[in-house]
């Protein structure tokens, strides 16, 4: 009886073992397949991540290069503007210094009594040639070298060589030519010439002479500065 039971149970046990073995083999096979799928997915994901990281790195590098180029351009433009402003400032300063020197030179020249004597002779001669004989001309002298009361004194009482002495010494002949002398009410240096009604026909004061000279000289002076700046810029580049 036991032998029959044992012989009857053996096929069942054998089938169970077979089933377990088959399930184990199938599980292992599916597990291996799934593991391979997971590995493939991980590898694909890793490749995607690496690709995205590479693309992002390239974009970062491109942005960095672009930002560097912008910074360099901005720096060059800032330097160009700063150099231009500095040059303009220097040119302005030099132009102003030049103008002040011209004005000072004119002022110093017109303060010379010897120069004024030469100017009076030239002005009187030119004036008498250009105005009608019936008109009287008045040479207005600068107040800083001639006083009104000096023109009323005798020439022998004044210092020989002074402008007042020169004017009084020439006055008699000049009056016959229709030329009289007066003294300016302001402190301008130089001469003015007026006709009978007081209109100024010729202005040789320091302001007028300086303006005339600067109108002629300043454009040339600025051109010299600009040429010098251009040559300097060419050497620097």
């Amino acid at each position: 009886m036991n032998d029959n039971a044992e012989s009857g149970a053996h096929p069942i046990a054998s089938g169970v073992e077979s089933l377990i073995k088959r399930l184990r083999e199938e599980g292992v096979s599916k597990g291996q397949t799934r593991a391979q799928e997971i590995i493939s997915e991980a590898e694909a994901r890793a490749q995607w991540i690496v690709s995205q990281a590479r693309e992002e790195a390239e974009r970062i590098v491109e942005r960095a290069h672009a930002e560097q180029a912008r910074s360099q351009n901005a720096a060059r433009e800032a330097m160009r503007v700063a150099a231009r402003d500095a040059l303009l400032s220097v040119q302005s300063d030099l132009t102003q210094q030049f103008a002040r020197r011209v004005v000072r030179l004119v002022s110093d020249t017109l303060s010379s009594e010897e120069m004024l004597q030469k100017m009076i002779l030239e002005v009187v001669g030119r004036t008498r040639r250009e105005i009608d004989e019936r008109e009287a001309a008045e040479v207005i002298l600068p107040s800083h070298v001639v006083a009104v009361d000096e023109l009323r004194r005798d020439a022998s009482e004044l210092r020989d060589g002074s402008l007042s002495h020169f004017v009084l010494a020439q006055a008699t002949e000049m009056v016959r030519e229709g030329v009289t002398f007066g003294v300016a009410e302001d402190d301008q240096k130089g001469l003015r010439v007026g006709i009978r009604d007081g209109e100024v026909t010729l202005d040789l004061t320091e302001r007028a002479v300086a303006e005339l000279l600067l109108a002629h000289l300043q454009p040339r002076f600025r051109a010299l500065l600009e040429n010098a700046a251009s040559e300097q810029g060419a050497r620097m580049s």
Side-chain angles (χ1 to χ4, degrees), residues 26-87:
E26 290 178 357
V28 170
S29 177
K30 289 182 178 179
Q32 290 177 341
T33 301
R34 182 56 183 161
Q36 187 62 41
E37 291 175 354
I38 292 173
I39 291 172
S40 298
E41 291 175 358
E43 289 177 347
R45 181 65 176 174
Q47 291 178 355
W48 181 83
I49 291 173
V50 170
S51 176
Q52 292 297 308
R54 184 180 295 110
E55 291 177 1
E56 180 63 21
E58 290 175 353
R59 285 194 293 269
I60 291 173
V61 171
E62 289 176 358
R63 286 196 296 269
H65 287 164
E67 182 63 28
Q68 182 182 13
R70 284 193 295 271
S71 298
Q72 290 176 344
N73 291 335
R76 282 194 292 267
E77 179 63 15
M79 291 178 63
R80 187 189 68 79
V81 172
R84 181 203 63 193
D85 291 345
L87 179 59

Side-chain angles (χ1 to χ4, degrees), residues 83-142:
R84 181 203 63 193
D85 291 345
L87 179 59
L88 291 176
S89 178
V90 170
Q91 288 179 339
S92 176
D93 289 343
L94 290 175
T95 301
Q96 292 176 10
Q97 291 179 27
F98 176 74
R100 286 194 294 268
R101 290 187 179 184
V102 169
V103 171
R104 186 164 58 250
L105 177 61
V106 170
S107 178
D108 292 343
T109 301
L110 294 183
S111 295
S112 167
E113 294 191 14
E114 181 181 357
M115 174 59 70
L116 289 171
Q117 292 176 15
K118 294 178 180 178
M119 289 176 64
I120 289 172
L121 293 175
E122 179 65 25
V123 165
V124 168
R126 182 179 296 274
T127 300
R128 293 312 306 155
R129 290 193 301 270
E130 295 180 358
I131 67 174
D132 190 282
E133 293 181 356
R134 293 169 298 178
E135 293 180 317
E138 182 183 26
V139 178
I140 304 172
L141 305 171

Side-chain angles (χ1 to χ4, degrees), residues 142-153:
S143 59
H144 72 285
V145 292
V146 177
V148 175
D149 60 343
E150 290 181 342
L151 296 181
R152 299 173 182 157
R153 296 164 62 182

